[in-house]
Amino acid sequence: MNPTDTIAAIATAAGRGAVGILRLSGPAAFAIAERITGSLPPPRQAGLRPLRDDAGRVLDQALVLCFPGPASFTGEDVVELQGHGGPVLLAELLRVAVARGARIAAPGEFSERAYLNGRLDLAQAEAIADLIDAASTQAVHAAQRTLDGEFSQRIHRLVAQLTELRVFVEGALDFSDEDIDWLADARLAERLAAAEALLADTLVQAAQGRRLREGLSVAIVGQPNVGKSTLLNALAGFDAAIVSEQAGTTRDLLREHLVLDGLPITVIDTAGLRETTDPLEQEGIRRAWAALEKAELALFLVDDRQGVTAEDEALLARLPPMPRLLLRNKCDLAGHEPAVLEPGRELRLSARAGLGLELLVAALKAQAGLCDVGEGLFLARARHLEALRAGSLHLGLARQRLREGAHAELAAEELRLAQQALGRITGAQSSDELLGEIFRRFCIGK
């Protein structure tokens, strides 16, 4: 990316009569836009202008908005031409802009320029993509809070606390020849405990935010005819899977991406697990076991009329080491009411009658750590959790070194490493490779 270039990209809303937007950002944005429109309105005031091609023919009438840098999204001069959203028209406008001296923006380049120009930090820039991709209303609100800087403010507080700790410890090293044990000062222990508490709380919230963003992968397993496909259909709210009284109907994996009370979830319906000589069913069972290896939670169904049979026990013993929830299905046929039998481990329901599904959704949210999510949740990514865990590890090692007394230099280094790890979240410590990987995943025009 060359920040001296002027970049152009198209953003359009789908559907008949949609609005299409041509965005320009860079030092020549105003000049290029003026050559297309003939004249520009005053900054931050919309003006209706004709959009002309190379031959001076009017292509469209559009609202034009100018945002002088640095008070713009990218921190550069930005122009938006808001016209009609036909794909041929938009492609021609983009061609005209390029002919006037712009180039087509790379994916995420507008957000990357905003980051490089100090308009956003890295966590906020990532939140733009998360806001676009949000799978639930809760995720939208959480992404917006991250974009507003709530997550970043927490990280800045942590970095500030670590800075104070480093000043204290490194100052003690500078005066180590005096007869004062600076490291035994109660204020140091209090500040260290406060930083660890804030970091631990942030890590919990970030883990919840990541789950809200990425969801939970769940495999429905059990013997044939225990209601696995019926449960998938009940959760989906439509007939996603074929349901039959004949055993072995499901021969392949069936995946549905759902949102259950704000939790994105991928539900995998698998073939019934049993011994069979049917080659097609054998392949379905092999795929079922393979899917279990990749899932984060197994929903193991049994028929409530029969309870957990010896065959069920044998299958449970073969499950990979992973969280599992035993579901006693068809409770209505067994004459039982839906109920939680053991929190987080076993419950009774009827997929066919739709009884107890709310208990299952609550159990899934609890497994995802989202049962008591407050309004202050922010979205987070795997790299954020990795950085927070690294920061927590180094902070814990710093406390251990200080407790040992004779290792202040090592404690100071651990505090530095903790601060460096947290800096990777907002971009204070980020490599070019990381930035490239992050912004390449953005859509064009962002």
Side-chain angles (χ1 to χ4, degrees), residues 152-173:
S152 300
Q153 288 168 14
R154 279 217 170 204
I155 300 305
H156 294 323
R157 281 176 57 196
L158 280 164
V159 169
Q161 289 179 340
L162 290 173
T163 300
E164 289 182 359
L165 285 167
R166 289 183 64 190
V167 168
F168 203 103
V169 173
E170 292 174 18
L173 290 172

Side-chain angles (χ1 to χ4, degrees), residues 253-271:
L253 303 179
L254 181 61
R255 286 181 172 84
E256 285 295 331
H257 301 287
L258 311 174
V259 178
L260 303 177
D261 195 21
L263 171 65
I265 182 170
T266 299
V267 184
I268 307 169
D269 183 22
T270 66

Side-chain angles (χ1 to χ4, degrees), residues 120 123-124 127 141-153:
L120 300 170
Q124 289 174 295
H141 295 321
Q144 187 60 56
R145 281 189 285 270
T146 304
L147 183 55
D148 289 340
E150 291 189 21
F151 184 26
S152 300
Q153 288 168 14

Side-chain angles (χ1 to χ4, degrees), residues 1 3 74 109 111-120 435 439:
M1 186 192 80
T74 62
E109 190 169 345
S111 297
E112 185 174 6
R113 289 192 175 204
Y115 164 70
L116 293 174
N117 290 325
R119 298 293 295 172
L120 300 170
L435 298 181
F439 289 107

Side-chain angles (χ1 to χ4, degrees), residues 6 11 17 25 63 110 123 170 178 220 239 267 299 315 323 329 381:
T6 293
S25 179
L63 289 176
F110 282 83
E170 292 174 18
E178 297 188 10
I220 306 177
D239 290 339
V267 184
L299 299 181
L315 289 174
N329 191 30
R381 298 184 171 208

Side-chain angles (χ1 to χ4, degrees), residues 158 161-162 164-165 168-169 182-199 395 399 402 415:
L158 280 164
Q161 289 179 340
L162 290 173
E164 289 182 359
L165 285 167
F168 203 103
V169 173
W182 297 92
L183 298 180
D185 193 313
R187 290 174 297 173
L188 177 58
E190 291 171 1
R191 290 176 181 178
L192 191 57
E196 286 190 293
L198 180 58
L199 182 49
L395 192 53
R399 173 172 39 79
L402 289 171
L415 290 172

Side-chain angles (χ1 to χ4, degrees), residues 47-60:
L48 185 64
R49 298 289 189 275
L51 306 182
R52 299 181 184 274
D53 65 9
D54 305 337
R57 294 170 297 195
V58 175
L59 295 171
D60 196 9

Side-chain angles (χ1 to χ4, degrees), residues 230-255:
T230 303
L231 178 60
L232 172 61
N233 291 342
L235 291 173
F238 60 89
D239 290 339
I242 297 174
V243 175
S244 170
E245 294 297 326
Q246 179 180 342
T249 302
T250 302
R251 299 295 183 93
D252 201 354
L253 303 179
L254 181 61
R255 286 181 172 84

